Structures are given as C-alpha cells and as structure tokens.
Amino acid sequence: MIDAPAGLLRRAATSELHLPEGVGAHLPGTLLAVLAAVLFGVGSVLQHEGVVAARRSGGLGVRSLVRQRVWVAGQSTTVVGSLAHVAALSLAPVGIVQPVLAGALVVALLVRTLRTGHRLGRGELAGASLTVAGLAVFLAAARPAPGESSRLPAWQAVVVAVLLVLVVVALAARFGHGSTGALGCGVTGGLAAGVAAVLVSAAFKVVDQSGLGHALTGPEVAGAVVAAVAAQVGAQQAYSRGSLSWSLPALVVVDPAAALPAARVLLGERLEPGHALVWAPAGLVAVLGIVLLTRSEEHPHREARAG
C-alpha cells in the first residue's frame, strides 16, 4: 500500500491532481482582467474630462480633442487597457474576464472622486459596494472554467454569430433618440462586445493548436474584428441616443450576459451548476450595483448637494 506522500506524488506525476476551477486556476489572466478594468476606468474619466475641456474651448473635432493632453492620456490608457483585455482572454476563460471588466465603473467612480473632490453620495457608495460584492461572490461561486482545449467553434457557428451581431446593430440604428433608443443601442453594443470577446478567446485557442499563421487566416480573428467594430458602433449609437443612465447599464450588463452563453455554446466554457442558487443572485446584485452607479453618473453632484 502506498503511503500518503508517495500517493500524492504519483497522482501529481500522472496529472491526476487538478487546479481549482475559477479564479484560482487562472490567476494571471484574472489579474490582467483587473488591470484592464482599472485602465478602462481611468481612461474613461480622462477622456470625459478632455471632451468637456474641448467643448469649452469651442469644438469637439479631432483637432480640438488632440490638443487636450488629458484626452490623449485617456485614449492612450484605454488602448493599453484593450491590450491587457486581450492578454487576459488568452489566459483565462471568458466567464472570468468579462464580468471582471464591469469593475471599471467602480474604478471610474473612485478616480472621478479623487479628481473632482466631490463627496460620494449614498447611491454611489451602495452601487460600488453591491457591484464589487456581487462580482466577487459570482466568481467564487460560479468558478468559470474553460472547455476542452481541443474544442473550437465550427466556422458556420462563427459566421452565424457575426451575422447576428451585424443585424442587431444595424436594426438598432433605426432607434430614435431618448431612453428607448439609448437602451436599445446599449443592448446591441453590449451583445457585440460579448461576442467579440468570445471570438478573441477562440482565436487564441487556434493559435495554441495550429499556430499563429493558421489563426490569422481563420474565421475567428476576422469575426472578432468585425464584432469589435460593431460593438464600437453600437456603443457610440447608444451614447448619442440619450442619457448614460440608460445606455451605460445596458452596455456593461449585456456584455458579460451575452459572453457567458456564447462561450458556453462556442467554446464549451461552463459555470458550476450546483452553485447556481448562489452565483445567479450574486450576478443580479452586481447588476443592481451597476445600475445604481450609472444612475449616479448622470447626476454626480445631486446627492452631495442634498447632503
């Protein structure tokens, strides 16, 4: 009979030991996703400040924006954040990366508070707390795990996913201005962003299996690029249609909400089904926090004045 230490070594040697699923098994990718969320949050605040400054100076053209150092810094920060996001998708499941990015709203709130000096209101504090707590419990309970390394989406499935994205974004362009238009375009922008993330993750799988050359000529990279562009179009449509309190929650919530089932269908990623009674309510708590945060973004000083 093999003693306990010897048995442990043998199981390790035969790869019978398994890393814990979820964040514990994908810590580098999770940390990169957190970094991306931080950079996105900082970049969004700096870009907003640059837009406000450009508007005060008389215009919002490209030349006016480029003259604003804070806007350029914000754009640069966002670009680096995008690179960190892509790197995170190469190391961690979509089910970890996309929900973590919602934390960018909390980062943006903290950065804005530091730069403006305004006191946080009750709604902002509640929103930040609910978002962070909900995301933490969701990731701990759901334990997102990648599918089999050999599983890749069929090219037909990639084409269908991209065509779906293009159709919904094109239809959203027909929405008028107001809350309905902002909400509808936000939903389509979030859907496109979630599909793009899944296709980026699929492209990295192709690289692992067949090499970079094969990946660059495959449908995954082309599909990811098209979906990412559509996501940007959808987001800009959402911002131009109406209030951020309608467009931003849709963009932030629908992104992971679309990415999780898409990753399940296309890549075989999974959440822990036995813990659904924990992670499902936790996800709803995070959604509530996001809504509270984005509602406060529209009136950042209202609660401070009321206090």
Side-chain angles (χ1 to χ4, degrees):
M1 184 175 180
I2 301 175
D3 60 14
L8 184 64
L9 289 174
R10 188 181 69 173
R11 288 195 299 272
T14 57
S15 300
E16 292 180 6
L17 289 178
H18 298 285
L19 284 172
E21 294 180 346
V23 172
H26 305 280
L27 190 57
T30 302
L31 293 177
L32 280 171
V34 171
L35 175 61
V38 171
L39 293 172
F40 285 146
V42 173
S44 66
V45 173
L46 296 181
Q47 287 181 72
H48 181 263
E49 290 182 8
V51 169
V52 172
R55 184 183 291 116
R56 288 174 179 171
S57 65
L60 285 177
V62 175
R63 292 183 179 179
S64 298
L65 290 172
V66 171
R67 292 193 189 100
Q68 303 298 327
R69 293 182 179 178
V70 66
W71 183 86
V72 173
Q75 282 288 91
S76 302
T77 303
T78 300
V79 169
V80 178
S82 298
L83 295 176
H85 180 203
V86 171
L89 288 170
S90 72
L91 298 173
V94 174
I96 292 177
V97 176
Q98 296 309 107
V100 166
L101 292 184
L105 285 175
V106 178
V107 175
L109 172 68
L110 297 177
V111 174
R112 190 196 69 196
T113 300
L114 291 174
R115 292 182 67 84
T116 63
H118 95 277
R119 182 167 58 88
L120 291 178
R122 289 186 296 273
E124 292 170 320
L125 288 172
S129 300
L130 290 174
T131 300
V132 173
L135 289 175
V137 173
F138 172 85
L139 292 173
R143 296 192 294 182
E148 297 179 4
S149 59
S150 59
R151 176 167 177 174
L152 292 172
W155 68 265
Q156 297 94 331
V158 174
V159 171
V160 169
V162 173
L163 287 177
L164 174 64
V165 164
L166 292 176
V167 168
V168 296
V169 171
L171 290 176
R174 297 177 175 271
F175 283 117
H177 290 269
S179 58
T180 301
L183 179 62
C185 292
V187 168
T188 60
L191 172 66
V195 171
V198 173
L199 294 179
V200 169
S201 183
F204 278 114
K205 275 194 169 186
V206 177
V207 172
D208 289 339
Q209 292 186 24
S210 306
L212 180 60
H214 187 80
L216 292 177
T217 59
E220 293 83 7
V221 171
V225 171
V226 172
V229 171
Q232 288 299 314
V233 172
Q236 294 307 313
Q237 288 179 347
Y239 295 146
S240 66
R241 290 300 194 275
S243 168
L244 281 178
S245 63
W246 289 100
S247 60
L248 199 53
L251 286 164
V252 175
V253 170
V254 175
D255 181 340
L260 292 174
R264 174 60 179 169
V265 172
L266 296 178
L267 302 177
E269 290 191 11
R270 62 193 184 279
L271 304 181
E272 179 59 55
H275 298 169
L277 290 178
V278 177
W279 58 255
L284 294 177
V285 168
V287 169
L288 176 59
I290 290 168
V291 172
L292 288 175
L293 280 177
T294 50
R295 291 283 179 177
S296 69
E297 282 288 322
E298 187 181 13
H299 305 288
H301 302 290
R302 180 177 58 192
E303 293 185 359
R305 289 198 303 269

